[in-house]
Amino acid sequence: MIYTAIDNFYLTDEELQNSPSRRDGIDEATETNLRIYGCDLIQESGILLKLPQAVMATGQVLFHRFYCKKSFARFDVKIVAASCLWLATKLEESPRKARHVILVFHRMECRRENLPIEHLDLFSKKFTDLRVEVTRTERHILKEMGFVCHVEHPHKFISNYLATLEIPSELWQEAWNLANDSLRSTLCVRFKSEVIACGVVYAAARKFQVPLPENPPWWKAFDAEKSGIDEICRVLAFLYSLPKAQYKPVCKDGIPFTFSSRSADQQAQAVATEVPQSSPIVNNDAATLKTGLATVDLEADGPKLNEPKRGDDESKGMLTDRDTREESMLKPKSENRREGSSERSRERERDREWMKGRDRDNRGRDSDRERDEIERERAKDRSHRSRDRLKDSGGHSEKPRHHSSRDRDYRSSSYTSSRDKDRHRHRSYA
């Protein structure tokens, strides 16, 4: 077999057990869950962006390689997944714009967290921060890979192996599906793509109860080992036994793709669960906490000893301010939703006005282009008419009426010389 020299990113089991995430206190189950979650994001976003499967496979391999060198506690899984997919589109020559990738991930996060799908303004600070973060993470990925991003997938070997073993056609799709699912695990950083292809073919044959040649063993013809094939089948079986992966906020610097504060609230709740039970805030119940906050507000609003007495108008103003604050806090959810819908409608109106202005500019440019084309056609018609006139006149143009200065000088000099000769002749006769 011929191996690619630059496809050498493979780790041992000991190195995977001592990954940067484990050193940061993240357990094995959480790391596995986040790896599967990130690969699910890449696969789903690639389908929404109408990308080929090779792009999504490359993005998932880059995702696993990056987190073999960096920790989930330092880089958020959503940002890294978006950056890996964006980089894979360039590597596989199916480029997409960064704004398209960000908009797709924003929509997926809204759907996964059961939030109302809000419009992400391309001129907002939120979008600018996300684009800067995705670009910065892409540079981190390239730096950690040493700008060597060559990826070899097992899919191209599966077709050759199945054709060589003369396996029925119903196994082809099953083996292909298993190869796609294997990308959610760390098999791509543990085994070569040829070995993964052998494991996938073996698992598909076992599922459909299709016998494979064992004398001599078929895997030796493809330069694989039986232990590696068994390990691949075990990892795939464990992968199918897991529930659907969910997002767990373990990163301190994660930027959510949504406008809502639910992601931030989840992170705050996760941090609050880590607070020991002996803290007074956790032990107090909700009523005690509310009364304490009310007394603090009254003390803060009440007069102090060192301050001068305020007038009636100032006290009334303070009371009204406090009333308005309490009313705003006690507003029902329906009013808040109405306010949010009104803000969204204003943003949509702004976007429509901007689109109308852009359409007007495009129409003006189109009218200028039409005028230029009309002028060019008129000039062509004039030139064709002049050529037709020349053909009708016999192909010879009329002599110019005006003579050049050189011809005038020559004629005047010849005229004067002839006059001088005539004078000389008359003198000689006399």
Side-chain angles (χ1 to χ4, degrees):
M1 300 295 290
I2 299 174
Y3 296 108
T4 309
I6 41 182
D7 191 16
N8 55 4
F9 194 99
Y10 299 106
L11 303 176
T12 61
D13 294 339
E14 291 78 11
E15 290 173 339
L16 284 173
Q17 290 294 329
N18 193 25
S19 63
S21 300
R22 304 284 179 84
R23 292 196 293 268
D24 286 342
I26 299 174
D27 58 334
E28 183 180 0
T30 304
E31 184 179 2
T32 304
N33 176 74
L34 290 175
R35 282 182 181 272
I36 297 173
Y37 181 81
C39 292
D40 287 342
L41 288 179
I42 294 173
Q43 184 72 24
E44 186 178 348
S45 60
I47 293 171
L48 292 175
L49 289 168
K50 298 181 180 179
L51 292 169
Q53 180 61 32
V55 177
M56 295 174 267
T58 302
Q60 293 177 57
V61 174
L62 294 175
F63 178 82
H64 285 297
R65 289 181 179 181
F66 179 74
Y67 277 115
C68 288
K69 294 192 172 186
K70 292 296 179 182
S71 173
F72 282 99
R74 289 190 55 196
F75 292 89
D76 187 67
V77 63
K78 298 176 184 178
I79 299 292
V80 173
S83 302
C84 288
L85 180 69
W86 190 36
L87 179 59
T89 58
K90 303 172 188 176
L91 295 174
E92 297 296 336
E93 298 181 357
S94 299
R96 294 293 186 273
K97 293 183 179 180
R99 66 179 182 188
H100 295 160
V101 176
I102 292 171
L103 289 174
V104 165
F105 271 80
H106 165 72
R107 185 180 182 85
M108 285 195 305
E109 186 172 3
C110 290
R111 282 181 171 249
R112 284 174 176 265
E113 296 185 2
N114 296 323
L115 298 173
I117 298 175
E118 300 176 355
H119 174 67
L120 181 58
D121 189 7
L122 299 180
F123 301 100
S124 63
K125 185 178 182 299
K126 176 73 176 178
F127 176 79
T128 305
D129 294 341
L130 286 172
R131 186 176 58 185
V132 170
E133 191 69 19
V134 169
T135 308
R136 185 181 68 86
T137 308
E138 184 196 29
R139 290 200 300 268
H140 275 290
I141 295 169
L142 291 171
K143 186 184 75 172
E144 292 299 328
M145 300 296 111
F147 286 85
V148 179
C149 299
H150 175 76
V151 178
E152 203 167 36
H153 301 297
H155 299 73
K156 67 177 183 180
F157 297 102
I158 292 173
S159 306
N160 297 330
Y161 292 174
L162 292 174
T164 304
L165 295 171
E166 297 180 356
I167 290 179
S169 59
E170 61 265 13
L171 263 75
W172 290 59
Q173 187 62 47
E174 180 64 25
W176 198 270
N177 295 339
L178 290 172
N180 291 335
D181 293 337
S182 69
L183 295 169
R184 289 174 167 81
S185 64
T186 56
L187 291 175
C188 58
V189 295
R190 294 174 60 191
F191 300 99
K192 293 183 178 180
S193 53
E194 297 90 338
V195 182
I196 297 174
C198 290
V200 164
V201 169
Y202 181 71
R206 288 289 298 272
K207 183 176 181 180
F208 285 92
Q209 297 180 356
V210 176
L212 296 173
E214 294 186 357
N215 193 14
W218 63 273
W219 57 83
K220 289 191 176 180
F222 305 126
D223 199 10
E225 296 294 335
K226 187 66 167 62
S227 59
I229 294 173
D230 293 339
E231 178 65 17
I232 291 168
C233 294
R234 187 190 66 79
V235 171
L236 288 174
F238 174 73
L239 187 66
Y240 290 135
S241 66
L242 294 175
K244 185 177 180 180
Q246 300 294 331
Y247 176 70
K248 293 183 180 179
V250 296
C251 180
K252 284 86 175 177
D253 303 328
I255 298 177
F257 279 91
T258 58
F259 279 110
S260 65
S261 60
R262 184 175 294 188
S263 300
D265 294 341
Q266 289 177 356
Q267 292 182 1
Q269 289 175 5
V271 173
T273 54
E274 298 176 359
V275 178
Q277 295 292 330
S278 59
S279 60
I281 297 176
V282 176
N283 293 331
N284 292 334
D285 56 352
T288 309
L289 186 60
K290 287 179 181 178
T291 54
L293 289 172
T295 54
V296 170
D297 291 337
L298 289 173
E299 291 175 359
D301 292 334
K304 295 182 180 179
L305 294 174
N306 296 329
E307 291 181 356
K309 291 183 179 180
R310 296 186 177 91
D312 296 336
D313 297 335
E314 293 181 1
S315 61
K316 288 179 183 177
M318 290 177 61
L319 289 172
T320 53
D321 292 339
R322 190 171 64 188
D323 294 337
T324 53
R325 266 184 268 143
E326 290 177 355
E327 288 176 0
S328 62
M329 291 173 66
L330 295 174
K331 271 185 182 179
K333 293 182 179 179
S334 59
E335 292 184 5
N336 293 331
R337 288 175 185 168
R338 287 174 195 161
E339 291 177 359
S341 61
S342 63
E343 290 178 359
R344 281 185 225 123
S345 62
R346 287 175 200 154
E347 290 179 359
R348 288 171 189 161
E349 288 177 1
R350 278 192 232 117
D351 293 338
R352 287 172 190 161
E353 291 176 359
W354 180 73
M355 292 291 287
K356 288 179 182 177
R358 191 175 65 177
D359 293 338
R360 287 193 212 104
D361 296 338
N362 293 334
R363 287 171 193 162
R365 291 172 191 163
D366 295 338
S367 62
D368 294 338
R369 288 174 190 164
E370 290 176 358
R371 286 177 203 152
D372 295 338
E373 290 178 358
I374 291 169
E375 292 293 334
R376 286 179 200 147
E377 290 177 358
R378 288 178 181 172
K380 287 181 183 178
D381 293 338
R382 291 187 201 121
S383 61
H384 287 311
R385 287 172 190 166
S386 61
R387 286 175 191 168
D388 294 338
R389 287 173 189 166
L390 288 174
K391 288 179 183 177
D392 295 338
S393 62
H396 299 287
S397 61
E398 296 180 357
K399 291 183 180 180
R401 296 179 182 177
H402 302 285
H403 300 285
S404 62
S405 60
R406 190 173 179 183
D407 295 338
R408 281 190 227 128
D409 296 339
Y410 175 74
R411 288 183 181 179
S412 61
S413 61
S414 62
Y415 178 71
T416 52
S417 61
S418 62
R419 285 181 65 184
D420 293 338
K421 285 179 183 178
D422 292 338
R423 284 178 190 168
H424 183 69
R425 194 181 299 146
H426 288 301
R427 286 177 185 170
S428 62
Y429 288 146

